[in-house]
Amino acid sequence: MRGKQLGHWGRAIAAALGVGLAAGVAAAQPARSAPAGTPPAATPPAAPPPAETPLAESLTGMARAEHGAGAALFDDGDYAGALARYERAYELSRDHRLLWKVALCQKNLRRYAKMIATLRRMEAEAGAALSARDKQDIADLIKAAGAFVSFLEITSSEPGAAVFVDDEPVGTTPLAAPVPIDIGERRIRVSKPGFVDFVRQEKVVGGDSVALVARLDRAVHRGRLAIAAGQDDLIAIDGKVVGKGRWEGSVQSGTHALRVTAPGMTPHEAQILVRDDERRRIDVSLERAAQRGGASKWLWIGGGAAIFAGALVAGSLLFEPGTPAEQGSLGTVPLGFGGRR
């Protein structure tokens, strides 16, 4: 932007950090005197900068309302509330002037790493809208905040892994540039699906760099399964015989088909779920299968009854026509077999 309002906010942040901007330092230097006899150079009149509409007036709708609420909260010392309102106003308007105020709130909250990220974001998004003075202000502010942050460099064995600082995402490997992180105890995590997370707890001091090599190992989802059965029982896992009597081994996490068999015994079949890093023990006791002789006995009884009934019918046919059959407790079953009276 044309430097007026941005410079104001930039100098406000720098003053709060306790440092002077390069422009202020340069202005404090004594001017060199011209050699004697040199006529003064003619200075063309500078064109006045075009008038700029103040931010509070150029915003409209909800963006203007959020900005007003942010200003009121800031004046009241509620920097966290003001930060939320300014960020919302920026989302609605995309007016990069709001990022100065976002950065000032972050400074007051001692979130210096985020402040640097905000300033870099403004520099990238505003582009040509920033004056040379604005760009110098941003550079000076980032330099001034360097005493309160360190810069994280991650070398990862896997590209495309997400990098988190205190569980907040800060980039993806390979990082485009070192990431500013605040001083103090920081939890750094590098994560990618299918791999075991790389996690480090680092004590960060200001004005330094933190370089980490994150080696990501592939995640192995396995557990252990132990089967105890009879001495001669065959044990099969997922259709493959793995042992006799007892077996224990590593299996992939998930559901597995167990089958235990032995001659003359009823097979035992079950679906076994094994979780990551779990040891699952299964005890199996087979039961004897039903005897085939019992079934043949009933078949013999049934066949004998049929033969018996056939004999009764055959016997009744030996009577001459008109000869009545003797009645008994069996009703229509004749009690006399053959023979005449």
Side-chain angles (χ1 to χ4, degrees), residues 5-19 21 74 100 104 107-108 137 141:
Q5 188 171 4
L6 286 182
H8 165 72
W9 282 101
R11 286 187 291 278
I13 299 173
L17 286 170
V19 295
L21 296 176
F74 186 92
W100 279 117
L104 184 56
K107 194 288 307 176
N108 288 347
D137 285 353
L141 288 169

Side-chain angles (χ1 to χ4, degrees), residues 5-19 21 55 67 70-87 96-120 122 137-138 141-142 144-145:
Q5 188 171 4
L6 286 182
H8 165 72
W9 282 101
R11 286 187 291 278
I13 299 173
L17 286 170
V19 295
L21 296 176
L55 182 61
H67 172 264
L73 291 169
F74 186 92
D75 292 340
D76 198 39
D78 184 358
Y79 304 122
L83 174 62
R85 294 303 185 110
Y86 284 147
E87 287 179 330
H96 62 269
R97 291 177 292 177
L98 285 161
L99 294 178
W100 279 117
K101 299 189 176 185
V102 169
L104 184 56
C105 290
Q106 291 167 336
K107 194 288 307 176
N108 288 347
L109 292 168
R110 294 182 174 84
R111 300 176 186 175
Y112 301 111
K114 287 186 175 295
M115 186 194 80
I116 291 175
T118 297
L119 293 172
R120 285 178 170 170
M122 180 172 60
D137 285 353
I138 291 174
L141 288 169
I142 292 175

